[in-house]
Amino acid sequence: MKTSAVILAAGLGTRMRSQIPKVLHPLLGRPLVSYALQAAREATGTNSVMVVGHGAEAVRQTVGDAARFVVQEPQLGTGHAVQQAEALLGGQADQILVTSADMPLLTPQTLQNLIRNQIDHRGPFTMLTITPPEARGFGRVIRDDDENVIAIVEEAQALPEQLAIKELNAGVYCFDANWLWESLPRIPLSPKGEYYLTDLVEIASRDGLPVQAIHAQDDSEAIGVNTRLHLADAEALMRQRVNRQLMLDGVSIVDPATAYIEPGVVIGQDTTIWPNTFLQGNTVIGENCTIGPNTLMRDTRLGSNCQVIASVLEESVVEDDVDIGPYSHLRRGAHLAQGVHMGNFGEVKDSYLGPGTKMGHFSYVGNTTTGPDVNIGAGTITCNYDGKSKHPTEVGANVFIGSDTMLVAPVKLDDGSRTGAGSVVTKDVPANTLAVGAPARAIRKLKKGD
Ligand code: UD1
Ligand code: CA
């Protein structure tokens, strides 16, 4: 039994009041549409067909080959939208799952329940219903005296007694494919000039075919995003979901309301997340770490037993036993090896700091590699940019860089060398040699124990 999904995304999204297509607005770091795509892929095991219209080109570019596309032009309603997918899916699947791109909270489990129910009952289709405290403009589910679902009435058309109905149409369905393609052309034009997918309930019911309705486990799954208020609601719920799962998996989150962790971030056991922490993109954090408060990490890989306080780490790699902050910044290409200590007000970019290296206070290190156990004194700056291009700085093992040293790149400090406070190093310093002054010149060879 093969199920394919159709994701509706052709609508205008007027209520967002935006130049950006609604389904491309970010929710917890990803475009809104990516959630529906992923849930449908997990539930069906295959890529979906997306029905696009308004902003089609931008949506296509963002989604890429994660879906196949059909264009609905003009947009004549949800029934008309599904009909466009027949060109790609007719004869290709036994069941057609229909969902909307603006419903990010639907879980693959719920979609699977819908598919399972449809396979077990073999009627024309199974639909998802919810009973939330607010009606949010959803269609009302009309049942007869025997509790059979016989119609869905849109809010705009509902009679007062129908408006009082608490059971609502979530807008997610699993159809028998043959029945769907045969029945879509039977949908009548609504007074508003649209073909409502929801009219299929009445069509099936009049044919004496039983429509199945299953209830969502959690009403919040069916939150559709129509306005920016809904977007914020949905994001808050998604955050709760992510944080909850992390906590169940052994991560401590001191104040979940202020932990902004994107889905897909991986965090090891017994790591603690302090408040006001943002973990984004492909960030991976090891075990027994302390992150935050006031920290942002994006696309960064952090080892185990690390501490990061009030710092920003972007596109960086940090090995085990490293401590960073407060107030430090790793930029793209920073790599701190095991046991590095990086204290206050440090910035590292495109550089490798060897194991055990210490950079305690007020330094900028760019386009640099250091050996192990280097001491980078307070205020050390790599002058890596001459106004035209970047130049490398190379620092050997056990080098001691005195406070306020300027390393004018390209320059090399060989193993065991040392610079005096305030040196301006414009020439390479040989191994085991002390250099001082501005510009620094080598003054004497160092002896062991110096
Ligand atoms: C729809 C249902 C309603 C249900 C609600 C749940 C219909 C007629 N009504 O209403 O019963 O309670 O969803 O959220 O189906 N779309 C297209 N092409 C179109 C029109 C819409 O692709 O021509 C897409 C939209 O982009 C959206 C989805 O279909 O992703 C739903 O359309 P929308 O206009 O939001 O329907 P609702 O009024 O929410
Ligand atoms: Ca909607």
Side-chain angles (χ1 to χ4, degrees), residues 42-55:
E42 281 180 38
T44 62
T46 157
N47 276 356
S48 307
V49 169
M50 274 186 75
V51 183
V52 290
H54 284 282

mmCIF file with all atom_site columns, all heavy atoms in Angstrom, residues 42-55:
data_model
loop_
_atom_site.group_PDB
_atom_site.id
_atom_site.type_symbol
_atom_site.label_atom_id
_atom_site.label_alt_id
_atom_site.label_comp_id
_atom_site.label_asym_id
_atom_site.label_entity_id
_atom_site.label_seq_id
_atom_site.pdbx_PDB_ins_code
_atom_site.Cartn_x
_atom_site.Cartn_y
_atom_site.Cartn_z
_atom_site.occupancy
_atom_site.B_iso_or_equiv
_atom_site.pdbx_formal_charge
_atom_site.auth_seq_id
_atom_site.auth_comp_id
_atom_site.auth_asym_id
_atom_site.auth_atom_id
_atom_site.pdbx_PDB_model_num
ATOM 1  N N   . GLU A 1 42 ? 8.344  11.610 6.767  1.00 0.00 ? 42 GLU A N   1
ATOM 2  C CA  . GLU A 1 42 ? 8.469  10.548 7.769  1.00 0.00 ? 42 GLU A CA  1
ATOM 3  C C   . GLU A 1 42 ? 7.259  9.629  7.758  1.00 0.00 ? 42 GLU A C   1
ATOM 4  O O   . GLU A 1 42 ? 7.376  8.430  7.952  1.00 0.00 ? 42 GLU A O   1
ATOM 5  C CB  . GLU A 1 42 ? 8.668  11.145 9.164  1.00 0.00 ? 42 GLU A CB  1
ATOM 6  C CG  . GLU A 1 42 ? 10.106 11.590 9.386  1.00 0.00 ? 42 GLU A CG  1
ATOM 7  C CD  . GLU A 1 42 ? 10.319 12.195 10.774 1.00 0.00 ? 42 GLU A CD  1
ATOM 8  O OE1 . GLU A 1 42 ? 9.717  11.690 11.746 1.00 0.00 ? 42 GLU A OE1 1
ATOM 9  O OE2 . GLU A 1 42 ? 11.069 13.182 10.865 1.00 0.00 ? 42 GLU A OE2 1
ATOM 10 N N   . ALA A 1 43 ? 6.078  10.199 7.530  1.00 0.00 ? 43 ALA A N   1
ATOM 11 C CA  . ALA A 1 43 ? 4.858  9.389  7.582  1.00 0.00 ? 43 ALA A CA  1
ATOM 12 C C   . ALA A 1 43 ? 4.687  8.526  6.341  1.00 0.00 ? 43 ALA A C   1
ATOM 13 O O   . ALA A 1 43 ? 4.178  7.407  6.429  1.00 0.00 ? 43 ALA A O   1
ATOM 14 C CB  . ALA A 1 43 ? 3.636  10.287 7.767  1.00 0.00 ? 43 ALA A CB  1
ATOM 15 N N   . THR A 1 44 ? 5.101  9.012  5.182  1.00 0.00 ? 44 THR A N   1
ATOM 16 C CA  . THR A 1 44 ? 4.851  8.269  3.938  1.00 0.00 ? 44 THR A CA  1
ATOM 17 C C   . THR A 1 44 ? 6.092  7.557  3.420  1.00 0.00 ? 44 THR A C   1
ATOM 18 O O   . THR A 1 44 ? 5.989  6.675  2.575  1.00 0.00 ? 44 THR A O   1
ATOM 19 C CB  . THR A 1 44 ? 4.375  9.212  2.805  1.00 0.00 ? 44 THR A CB  1
ATOM 20 O OG1 . THR A 1 44 ? 5.418  10.162 2.520  1.00 0.00 ? 44 THR A OG1 1
ATOM 21 C CG2 . THR A 1 44 ? 3.101  9.940  3.188  1.00 0.00 ? 44 THR A CG2 1
ATOM 22 N N   . GLY A 1 45 ? 7.259  7.958  3.895  1.00 0.00 ? 45 GLY A N   1
ATOM 23 C CA  . GLY A 1 45 ? 8.499  7.359  3.411  1.00 0.00 ? 45 GLY A CA  1
ATOM 24 C C   . GLY A 1 45 ? 8.913  7.877  2.042  1.00 0.00 ? 45 GLY A C   1
ATOM 25 O O   . GLY A 1 45 ? 9.817  7.320  1.420  1.00 0.00 ? 45 GLY A O   1
ATOM 26 N N   . THR A 1 46 ? 8.250  8.917  1.557  1.00 0.00 ? 46 THR A N   1
ATOM 27 C CA  . THR A 1 46 ? 8.625  9.451  0.250  1.00 0.00 ? 46 THR A CA  1
ATOM 28 C C   . THR A 1 46 ? 8.408  10.961 0.210  1.00 0.00 ? 46 THR A C   1
ATOM 29 O O   . THR A 1 46 ? 7.708  11.521 1.059  1.00 0.00 ? 46 THR A O   1
ATOM 30 C CB  . THR A 1 46 ? 7.826  8.726  -0.876 1.00 0.00 ? 46 THR A CB  1
ATOM 31 O OG1 . THR A 1 46 ? 7.781  9.564  -2.017 1.00 0.00 ? 46 THR A OG1 1
ATOM 32 C CG2 . THR A 1 46 ? 6.412  8.428  -0.468 1.00 0.00 ? 46 THR A CG2 1
ATOM 33 N N   . ASN A 1 47 ? 9.029  11.620 -0.769 1.00 0.00 ? 47 ASN A N   1
ATOM 34 C CA  . ASN A 1 47 ? 8.869  13.068 -0.892 1.00 0.00 ? 47 ASN A CA  1
ATOM 35 C C   . ASN A 1 47 ? 7.461  13.434 -1.337 1.00 0.00 ? 47 ASN A C   1
ATOM 36 O O   . ASN A 1 47 ? 6.826  12.704 -2.087 1.00 0.00 ? 47 ASN A O   1
ATOM 37 C CB  . ASN A 1 47 ? 9.881  13.634 -1.882 1.00 0.00 ? 47 ASN A CB  1
ATOM 38 C CG  . ASN A 1 47 ? 11.225 13.890 -1.208 1.00 0.00 ? 47 ASN A CG  1
ATOM 39 O OD1 . ASN A 1 47 ? 11.354 13.704 0.008  1.00 0.00 ? 47 ASN A OD1 1
ATOM 40 N ND2 . ASN A 1 47 ? 12.193 14.309 -1.975 1.00 0.00 ? 47 ASN A ND2 1
ATOM 41 N N   . SER A 1 48 ? 7.017  14.603 -0.903 1.00 0.00 ? 48 SER A N   1
ATOM 42 C CA  . SER A 1 48 ? 5.646  15.026 -1.173 1.00 0.00 ? 48 SER A CA  1
ATOM 43 C C   . SER A 1 48 ? 5.544  15.785 -2.490 1.00 0.00 ? 48 SER A C   1
ATOM 44 O O   . SER A 1 48 ? 6.537  16.224 -3.049 1.00 0.00 ? 48 SER A O   1
ATOM 45 C CB  . SER A 1 48 ? 5.181  15.971 -0.066 1.00 0.00 ? 48 SER A CB  1
ATOM 46 O OG  . SER A 1 48 ? 5.376  15.362 1.180  1.00 0.00 ? 48 SER A OG  1
ATOM 47 N N   . VAL A 1 49 ? 4.304  15.963 -2.906 1.00 0.00 ? 49 VAL A N   1
ATOM 48 C CA  . VAL A 1 49 ? 4.014  16.886 -3.998 1.00 0.00 ? 49 VAL A CA  1
ATOM 49 C C   . VAL A 1 49 ? 3.482  18.160 -3.347 1.00 0.00 ? 49 VAL A C   1
ATOM 50 O O   . VAL A 1 49 ? 2.556  18.106 -2.537 1.00 0.00 ? 49 VAL A O   1
ATOM 51 C CB  . VAL A 1 49 ? 2.964  16.298 -4.961 1.00 0.00 ? 49 VAL A CB  1
ATOM 52 C CG1 . VAL A 1 49 ? 2.466  17.372 -5.932 1.00 0.00 ? 49 VAL A CG1 1
ATOM 53 C CG2 . VAL A 1 49 ? 3.562  15.122 -5.718 1.00 0.00 ? 49 VAL A CG2 1
ATOM 54 N N   . MET A 1 50 ? 4.099  19.287 -3.670 1.00 0.00 ? 50 MET A N   1
ATOM 55 C CA  . MET A 1 50 ? 3.614  20.556 -3.124 1.00 0.00 ? 50 MET A CA  1
ATOM 56 C C   . MET A 1 50 ? 2.841  21.301 -4.182 1.00 0.00 ? 50 MET A C   1
ATOM 57 O O   . MET A 1 50 ? 3.287  21.421 -5.328 1.00 0.00 ? 50 MET A O   1
ATOM 58 C CB  . MET A 1 50 ? 4.789  21.439 -2.691 1.00 0.00 ? 50 MET A CB  1
ATOM 59 C CG  . MET A 1 50 ? 5.242  21.138 -1.282 1.00 0.00 ? 50 MET A CG  1
ATOM 60 S SD  . MET A 1 50 ? 6.489  22.328 -0.775 1.00 0.00 ? 50 MET A SD  1
ATOM 61 C CE  . MET A 1 50 ? 5.469  23.748 -0.500 1.00 0.00 ? 50 MET A CE  1
ATOM 62 N N   . VAL A 1 51 ? 1.681  21.825 -3.776 1.00 0.00 ? 51 VAL A N   1
ATOM 63 C CA  . VAL A 1 51 ? 0.893  22.664 -4.679 1.00 0.00 ? 51 VAL A CA  1
ATOM 64 C C   . VAL A 1 51 ? 1.262  24.106 -4.378 1.00 0.00 ? 51 VAL A C   1
ATOM 65 O O   . VAL A 1 51 ? 1.030  24.589 -3.269 1.00 0.00 ? 51 VAL A O   1
ATOM 66 C CB  . VAL A 1 51 ? -0.619 22.435 -4.463 1.00 0.00 ? 51 VAL A CB  1
ATOM 67 C CG1 . VAL A 1 51 ? -1.418 23.274 -5.462 1.00 0.00 ? 51 VAL A CG1 1
ATOM 68 C CG2 . VAL A 1 51 ? -0.961 20.958 -4.591 1.00 0.00 ? 51 VAL A CG2 1
ATOM 69 N N   . VAL A 1 52 ? 1.897  24.763 -5.354 1.00 0.00 ? 52 VAL A N   1
ATOM 70 C CA  . VAL A 1 52 ? 2.344  26.139 -5.133 1.00 0.00 ? 52 VAL A CA  1
ATOM 71 C C   . VAL A 1 52 ? 1.632  27.088 -6.083 1.00 0.00 ? 52 VAL A C   1
ATOM 72 O O   . VAL A 1 52 ? 1.108  26.683 -7.123 1.00 0.00 ? 52 VAL A O   1
ATOM 73 C CB  . VAL A 1 52 ? 3.873  26.263 -5.303 1.00 0.00 ? 52 VAL A CB  1
ATOM 74 C CG1 . VAL A 1 52 ? 4.599  25.568 -4.170 1.00 0.00 ? 52 VAL A CG1 1
ATOM 75 C CG2 . VAL A 1 52 ? 4.338  25.718 -6.645 1.00 0.00 ? 52 VAL A CG2 1
ATOM 76 N N   . GLY A 1 53 ? 1.610  28.350 -5.727 1.00 0.00 ? 53 GLY A N   1
ATOM 77 C CA  . GLY A 1 53 ? 0.932  29.353 -6.545 1.00 0.00 ? 53 GLY A CA  1
ATOM 78 C C   . GLY A 1 53 ? 1.545  30.703 -6.242 1.00 0.00 ? 53 GLY A C   1
ATOM 79 O O   . GLY A 1 53 ? 2.529  31.103 -6.832 1.00 0.00 ? 53 GLY A O   1
ATOM 80 N N   . HIS A 1 54 ? 1.033  31.370 -5.194 1.00 0.00 ? 54 HIS A N   1
ATOM 81 C CA  . HIS A 1 54 ? 1.620  32.646 -4.791 1.00 0.00 ? 54 HIS A CA  1
ATOM 82 C C   . HIS A 1 54 ? 3.046  32.418 -4.314 1.00 0.00 ? 54 HIS A C   1
ATOM 83 O O   . HIS A 1 54 ? 3.308  31.550 -3.503 1.00 0.00 ? 54 HIS A O   1
ATOM 84 C CB  . HIS A 1 54 ? 0.780  33.279 -3.681 1.00 0.00 ? 54 HIS A CB  1
ATOM 85 C CG  . HIS A 1 54 ? -0.487 33.879 -4.220 1.00 0.00 ? 54 HIS A CG  1
ATOM 86 N ND1 . HIS A 1 54 ? -0.493 35.089 -4.865 1.00 0.00 ? 54 HIS A ND1 1
ATOM 87 C CD2 . HIS A 1 54 ? -1.745 33.415 -4.242 1.00 0.00 ? 54 HIS A CD2 1
ATOM 88 C CE1 . HIS A 1 54 ? -1.729 35.363 -5.250 1.00 0.00 ? 54 HIS A CE1 1
ATOM 89 N NE2 . HIS A 1 54 ? -2.509 34.362 -4.892 1.00 0.00 ? 54 HIS A NE2 1
ATOM 90 N N   . GLY A 1 55 ? 3.970  33.194 -4.838 1.00 0.00 ? 55 GLY A N   1
ATOM 91 C CA  . GLY A 1 55 ? 5.377  33.080 -4.440 1.00 0.00 ? 55 GLY A CA  1
ATOM 92 C C   . GLY A 1 55 ? 5.993  31.749 -4.833 1.00 0.00 ? 55 GLY A C   1
ATOM 93 O O   . GLY A 1 55 ? 6.951  31.295 -4.201 1.00 0.00 ? 55 GLY A O   1
#
